[in-house]
Amino acid sequence: MRIVLTCLGLLLSVVSAQADKVVASGKPLKLYEAYSTNPDCSSAGNVVVRVVQSPEHGRVSIRPAGVFPRFPETNIRSVCNRRRVPGVLATYVSQRGYLGPDFVVLEVLFPAGSGGRIRFPIRVM
């Protein structure tokens, strides 16, 4: 069951990450946050996030962070949505003054063994 819920969360996050992200030049943009959470809101293990394709006109930073999960109300973990849980945050910042398109690909690996690559088209304005 845990694997099914983790895969469902990954699929939902991958689908939502496909739309163009828009950001002002030189300002940080939250690209992606990931977490693996037990029903008691504790960590189910570390999520690994890596940059597979770096942006041409900016940089991506990946760091551990407390994140608010987004479990559906039907998920036993939905009680965790009201508090921060251990996770990983990926942030993009363009070169100062750059305007135009950029692109990032992240690889995400969850402790239960699932994972995948996520593409982020970015428009810098």
Side-chain angles (χ1 to χ4, degrees):
M1 180 69 164
R2 185 165 132 193
I3 293 172
V4 171
L5 295 175
T6 300
C7 289
L8 179 61
L10 176 63
L11 289 173
L12 292 173
S13 64
V14 169
V15 169
S16 66
Q18 294 302 316
D20 277 13
K21 302 273 188 175
V22 179
V23 65
S25 184
K27 301 294 181 187
L29 169 68
K30 179 170 64 170
L31 279 181
Y32 187 74
E33 56 185 28
Y35 45 87
S36 183
T37 306
N38 291 314
D40 68 355
C41 303
S42 64
S43 175
N46 292 330
V47 179
V48 176
V49 178
R50 295 187 272 234
V51 177
V52 175
Q53 182 176 337
S54 297
E56 291 184 25
H57 306 285
R59 61 181 161 71
V60 174
S61 62
I62 298 171
R63 65 178 176 83
V67 299
F68 285 99
R70 293 179 300 272
F71 293 107
E73 286 301 316
T74 56
N75 187 312
I76 192 169
R77 293 167 178 79
S78 66
V79 297
C80 304
N81 293 351
R82 298 186 222 24
R83 62 187 239 189
R84 291 185 188 274
V85 299
V88 177
L89 178 64
T91 306
Y92 166 87
V93 178
S94 72
Q95 296 167 343
R96 184 179 212 117
Y98 174 74
L99 301 173
D102 212 347
F103 189 77
V104 175
V105 179
L106 299 179
E107 182 175 60
V108 182
L109 303 168
F110 288 90
S114 62
R117 290 187 176 189
I118 308 168
R119 301 170 185 282
F120 295 94
I122 302 167
R123 285 189 301 152
V124 182
M125 304 180 87

